[in-house]
Amino acid sequence: MFFGISLLPQENKFYELLCQASEIANQTIHSLRDLTIEEDREQAFKLARDIEIARHKVKELSYEITERLCRTLMTPFDHEDIHRLSRDLYKILKISDKAQERMIAFKLRPFQNDFFKLTSNMVEASDVTNDLVKSLKRLKDSKSFHDKYALIHNIEANTDQLLNQLTIDLYQYENDFKKILIRKEMYALMESIVDRHRDVSNVILEIVLKHS
């Protein structure tokens, strides 16, 4: 330790914190999917509360990662990449929390299977992203990273197409303008969640290209 800065590598601790954040994010996306189809109001409130708590947990993990980065000279990969990865994982939680607030406040229910289609993409993207984060210790296996990176980008492209079709269907079958606006906002939030998983995969690919 020199002037409060650690000169020793802290690989395991950074991996551990990032994996914790990723695992919580993954569980949260599954909870958000469950919330969109939950019929019991009390259980829906519990799921919403779980998502809110998860956001605070990942925010604390993000703060801890930032603090450690400021005090650590040698890290498993670039300081900036660790910071970006931590920040982008937190964004997933932040948007998920906003989505659950809208679900609860407006008592939104599925409309022609729309939420199921979007949340299925969200869960798939989250599962793959979680695997990517957990695989950061195996940077030499670059083919696996590239395959999962491509898969997430395919999910993101599919979500864009799905959003366009759902929006068309919404205008075609829904006559209440207020309901259209509220549901379009939910669509945008869910699409943004998939986009944030794409952002995480972009950071991880950069790390792999630098170190593999």
Side-chain angles (χ1 to χ4, degrees):
M1 186 75 70
F2 183 73
F3 291 114
I5 298 177
S6 174
L7 301 179
L8 299 176
Q10 297 192 38
E11 295 190 11
N12 290 336
K13 193 59 183 178
F14 282 112
Y15 286 131
E16 178 186 328
L17 293 171
L18 289 171
C19 285
Q20 283 182 36
S22 179
E23 185 64 34
I24 294 172
N26 185 238
Q27 292 171 359
T28 298
I29 297 303
H30 282 261
S31 294
L32 184 57
R33 179 190 58 184
D34 293 344
L35 176 60
T36 63
I37 59 175
E38 181 57 59
E39 297 289 344
D40 183 83
R41 193 68 175 164
E42 185 175 337
Q43 182 61 23
F45 278 118
K46 181 182 182 302
L47 287 167
R49 179 59 177 162
D50 289 344
I51 293 170
E52 182 182 0
I53 292 171
R55 178 176 70 83
H56 290 297
K57 287 181 178 178
V58 173
K59 187 174 185 179
E60 291 175 359
L61 289 171
S62 181
Y63 282 152
E64 182 175 352
I65 288 171
T66 299
E67 183 179 1
R68 285 180 176 274
L69 285 172
C70 293
R71 296 181 178 181
T72 306
L73 183 63
M74 299 177 64
T75 54
F77 30 86
D78 294 352
H79 282 61
E80 178 60 24
D81 290 335
I82 295 174
H83 175 70
R84 289 168 60 204
L85 198 50
S86 172
R87 178 197 62 197
D88 289 344
L89 285 169
Y90 173 65
K91 285 181 180 178
I92 294 171
L93 276 295
K94 191 174 180 180
I95 301 170
S96 297
D97 193 25
K98 185 179 291 186
Q100 68 83 8
E101 288 177 349
R102 299 297 189 275
M103 289 290 302
I104 294 296
F106 297 109
K107 300 179 181 179
L108 295 176
R109 306 306 307 148
F111 177 79
Q112 297 191 348
N113 224 21
D114 54 355
F115 290 156
F116 174 78
K117 295 173 182 176
L118 284 166
T119 56
S120 293
N121 281 18
M122 286 163 42
V123 167
E124 186 178 5
S126 180
D127 289 345
V128 176
T129 300
N130 194 33
D131 286 342
L132 277 174
V133 174
K134 290 180 177 179
S135 300
L136 277 171
K137 276 193 172 183
R138 302 188 299 275
L139 289 175
K140 293 183 178 180
D141 186 13
S142 61
K143 185 181 184 305
S144 175
F145 280 102
H146 282 280
D147 290 344
K148 291 175 181 177
Y149 171 83
L151 177 56
I152 290 177
H153 276 256
N154 286 338
I155 296 169
E156 190 265 339
N158 175 265
T159 303
D160 288 343
Q161 295 175 1
L162 177 60
L163 181 64
N164 289 336
Q165 186 58 54
L166 290 175
T167 302
I168 292 171
D169 293 344
L170 183 60
Y171 278 111
Q172 183 174 357
Y173 297 108
E174 179 59 72
N175 297 318
D176 189 321
F177 188 63
K178 289 183 179 179
K179 289 182 179 179
I180 290 175
L181 289 178
I182 293 167
R183 194 162 290 270
K184 277 192 65 180
E185 183 184 7
M186 277 301 300
Y187 290 172
L189 288 171
M190 291 180 176
E191 181 200 22
S192 183
I193 288 172
V194 175
D195 289 345
R196 299 295 75 74
H197 285 92
R198 176 208 58 203
D199 293 344
V200 171
S201 75
N202 287 341
V203 177
I204 292 176
L205 180 65
E206 290 181 27
I207 293 171
V208 171
L209 292 174
K210 291 176 185 177
H211 296 273
S212 62

